[in-house]
Structures are given as C-alpha cells and as structure tokens.
Amino acid sequence: MSKPTDESIGLDVAWSLQGFSAKLKSRLLSALDRAGARKIDQKGLEQDRKQALHRAMTDVQLALIATSGEALQERIRNDPELAQRALTLFSRAERQAENFEASLGLAVEDLKNNPSTTAEGADSPDVLDPDFLNRWENYASGATSEIVREKWGRVLSSEIREPGTFSLKTLRIIDELDQETAILFQRFCQSRIDMWAPELLLDLSSSELSSLAQAELVLEAELPSTISFLETINGAGEKWWILKNNNLGVVVRQNPRPPCITEGPFNFDPIHIADGKLKLNMIVLTKVGVALSAIIPRDEEAVFRRLAEAISKDAEGSAIFVHRNPDGGMSAVTEEAVAPPAEVKISTE
C-alpha cells in the first residue's frame, strides 16, 4: 500500500496534521487511506465521492458497474423479492459505512486532542497492521450507538499512538463485553495505577471482581497479590514508607503508624506488614485489561491522593501525597505545612 499524502485524502484546512510526530501522522494516514479517500473536517468525516471514485475505480471498473447495474435492474423488474433483498443490502451497507466513518471521525478527534505517543523508536512501525485494520473496520461498522462508536474510535486512536496495543483477541473481547461489565471496568480504572489497582480504594464486591475476571480483564487468584513499599527518611531523620510510580507517590509514617495498617500471620487485610515490609493488596490487570484500560481516561494523581487519604483516614497526616521535583527528589503536596518536611529521600537499601 502506497503512503497517502495530505492532499490524497482531502484534509480540510480547518485542521491539519501539524504538530503530529512523523510516525503518528503516517499511522493515521494509513488508517484514513483505508477509508477510501474520505474528507475530514472539524466535526468528523465526509465522503469525497468524486475523489474516491477517481482513486478507487478505473474506467473498466466503472463500465462493469454500469453493465451490472443494468442487468440487476432487468432482474428486479420481474422479481420483487430480489428487489427487496437488494434494498436491504444497500441499506445495510449504507448504515455500516456511516458507523465506520463516525468511529473513524471520533478517533481523529481523540488524536487531535491528545496526539502524544510513546512508540516513536526507530523500530516502531510507520503504518498499522492490516489484520488489525480489517478486524477494527468490521467491529466499527456495527457501532450503531454513539457510545460504541466512541469506544472503537478510542481503540483506533490508541493503536495509532502505540501499535500492538490491541491484539485480535483483545478486539474480540472488547466487542463481546456487555455494558454492565464495561461499567464495572470503568469503575475499576478510576483506581488504576499502572497495571493494577489498590484493593483499599476499590468499591467493587467480590462477585463484581469475579465478573471482571471472567471477562478476562483482571487476574483472579486464591491469595491476594501485593506490592511492597520502600523505606525512606525525611529531612529530620524520621522513618517513613514510600510507594511511588514515576513522578507520583505516597509516603506513610512508620511511627506511630496509621491504625489501618495491621500485622500478624496469614494477614490478608488491604494494607498490612508482612516479613517486615509494608504491603498493599492489589488487583492486577490482564494483558487484555491493560489494553482496554488505555481507552479509559484516568487521573493517576487523584488515585494517589485518594490512597493517601484512605491510609490517613483515622490518623491525619500519617500518609501524604508526594510528587517528583525537577532535581529528582520527592516533595510532599499538602495544603498545610505537615510532616514530613518537603524533601523526601528514598533509601537505597
């Protein structure tokens, strides 16, 4: 497949691909080229029929279509049932094209609003996988509601940002996902950090989590999975625990420790001490769940803030949200001056 140009798809001057990285632009154009030379404007997509015909059909093909049309007309005159089937077929094809274009338009809108991508390496592909596009087109063509169209639009925009996010199996599971399970998963993702969510923040029952596991979105295990805090000290030499992720985190006071932290053998409480370490129970996403979570907006800072609030619920100031400084240190983010002091040094032990 030859690479399309801006002109070949008739990009409206109302918006442009300026500001998009070269690879992001190339992947987007590979998807748009598949749409058959459609025109994009600020609101979505419009068919550019003349341009599509010019690119997609030769004079011979047009002649064949005309001849076939005449033959079909002759048969329809003598076969009302055939005429009805033809009308049904054309109507279905028109609806599918409308669904497909609407989903594609929403993908473009999402890329316009957030064009960033993390897959910019030399080894990352310039075009999308044809197998992915084939399957995506099939699912998007059946998206009759705005919610479903938005879902498939975000799937495409996420795949354009980072090719390989959605396998064919993942697309199938997304298509088969019922609305109730989808809503449960959205609730789950409100507490997501990376590929997991702390049990302490989830408001889902065991049966609801089981439903997510049966949908292959989260892992189900007999014993809870945990993540350990690191030990750290503040500027005054006081011991704290820290759990961090890139530029965000939460610190927890060791002495006196918050009442919600328990200790003892066979302890499965949401946050507890085991083997001398502070551990947090977590529910882990499956590979499919990670891919699907990519299309759900989230606020990781809000999750860490909520985690600090939950841990310090009965002991104000015992857990604090922190963020990374330009110099690499972690600083407390509070409305009032509370311990620990602003600078938090992570232990190397």
Side-chain angles (χ1 to χ4, degrees):
M1 181 179 66
S2 60
K3 290 184 180 179
T5 63
D6 291 5
E7 291 76 16
S8 69
I9 59 172
L11 285 179
D12 194 286
V13 294
W15 78 271
S16 73
L17 295 179
Q18 291 182 357
F20 283 27
S21 69
K23 285 188 177 290
L24 190 66
K25 177 179 176 179
S26 178
R27 293 173 201 142
L28 173 57
L29 292 178
S30 72
L32 295 175
D33 183 60
R34 185 177 186 78
R38 286 164 169 90
K39 185 178 179 181
I40 304 171
D41 62 15
Q42 285 183 308
K43 295 182 180 179
L45 297 173
E46 298 175 354
Q47 287 187 350
D48 187 342
R49 297 183 186 277
K50 292 182 180 179
Q51 210 169 51
L53 287 173
H54 177 71
R55 293 188 59 207
M57 301 178 183
T58 64
D59 291 341
V60 174
Q61 287 173 315
L62 288 173
L64 287 173
I65 291 172
T67 302
S68 299
E70 292 173 0
L72 182 59
Q73 286 180 4
E74 184 64 29
R75 291 186 60 189
I76 285 176
R77 290 191 186 99
N78 301 314
D79 191 342
E81 184 178 345
L82 176 60
Q84 183 60 47
R85 290 203 302 269
L87 286 173
T88 300
L89 178 62
F90 293 148
S91 177
R92 181 184 301 128
E94 186 175 7
R95 288 196 305 271
Q96 289 176 340
E98 179 183 348
N99 297 335
F100 171 75
E101 291 182 354
S103 299
L104 186 56
L106 289 168
V108 173
E109 285 294 319
D110 190 46
L111 286 170
K112 285 166 55 181
N113 295 331
N114 182 20
S116 62
T117 177
T118 57
E120 289 299 321
D123 295 334
S124 62
D126 292 328
V127 297
L128 296 182
D129 183 355
D131 289 337
F132 166 84
L133 286 174
N134 282 337
R135 195 64 60 87
W136 181 87
E137 180 180 355
N138 181 57
Y139 292 135
S141 295
T144 56
S145 70
E146 188 69 14
I147 292 177
V148 179
R149 289 171 175 176
E150 183 177 1
K151 175 182 70 176
W152 289 114
R154 286 184 173 175
V155 166
L156 178 58
S157 61
S158 296
E159 183 70 13
I160 289 173
R161 292 189 190 97
E162 191 164 353
T165 297
F166 295 93
S167 65
L168 299 185
K169 175 184 177 181
T170 300
L171 293 179
R172 174 185 60 78
I173 292 176
I174 292 174
D175 180 62
E176 296 174 352
L177 201 63
D178 61 83
Q179 186 174 1
E180 182 178 354
T181 306
I183 293 174
L184 286 178
F185 190 66
Q186 287 180 329
R187 287 170 54 194
F188 178 94
C189 288
Q190 290 176 355
S191 301
R192 179 171 74 90
I193 299 173
D194 281 344
M195 299 185 295
W196 57 277
E199 184 182 303
L200 190 64
L201 297 183
L202 292 174
D203 61 348
L204 301 177
S205 66
S206 57
S207 62
E208 289 174 329
L209 287 173
S210 180
S211 295
L212 293 179
Q214 291 175 15
E216 300 184 59
L217 299 177
V218 302
L219 296 177
E220 192 171 36
E222 294 183 3
L223 299 177
S225 299
T226 62
I227 186 169
S228 298
F229 285 66
L230 297 175
E231 289 200 352
T232 183
I233 57 172
N234 64 8
E238 298 169 333
K239 292 184 177 181
W240 290 66
W241 290 291
I242 185 169
L243 179 70
K244 63 184 183 69
N245 172 41
N246 296 327
N247 299 320
L248 306 172
V250 60
V251 290
V252 180
R253 187 176 60 207
Q254 290 195 26
N255 187 28
R257 68 189 185 208
C260 65
I261 299 176
T262 58
E263 186 174 10
F266 307 108
N267 192 328
F268 303 119
D269 289 339
I271 183 167
H272 60 275
I273 295 176
D275 301 323
K277 296 182 178 180
L278 180 62
K279 298 188 176 185
L280 186 70
N281 288 359
M282 60 179 180
I283 307 298
V284 182
L285 290 167
T286 62
K287 188 174 182 179
V288 172
V290 171
L292 181 55
S293 68
I295 71 173
I296 300 176
R298 65 182 178 123
D299 185 347
E300 200 166 76
E301 178 177 321
V303 177
F304 275 109
R305 288 183 181 274
R306 286 171 49 216
L307 182 59
E309 291 172 0
I311 296 173
S312 62
K313 180 179 179 181
D314 298 320
E316 186 176 354
S318 60
I320 300 173
F321 166 67
V322 295
H323 70 88
R324 188 177 299 280
N325 295 325
D327 62 3
M330 303 291 286
S331 294
V333 182
T334 59
E335 295 181 359
E336 301 177 2
V338 295
E343 185 69 15
V344 178
K345 298 180 180 178
I346 302 173
S347 174
T348 57
E349 296 180 1

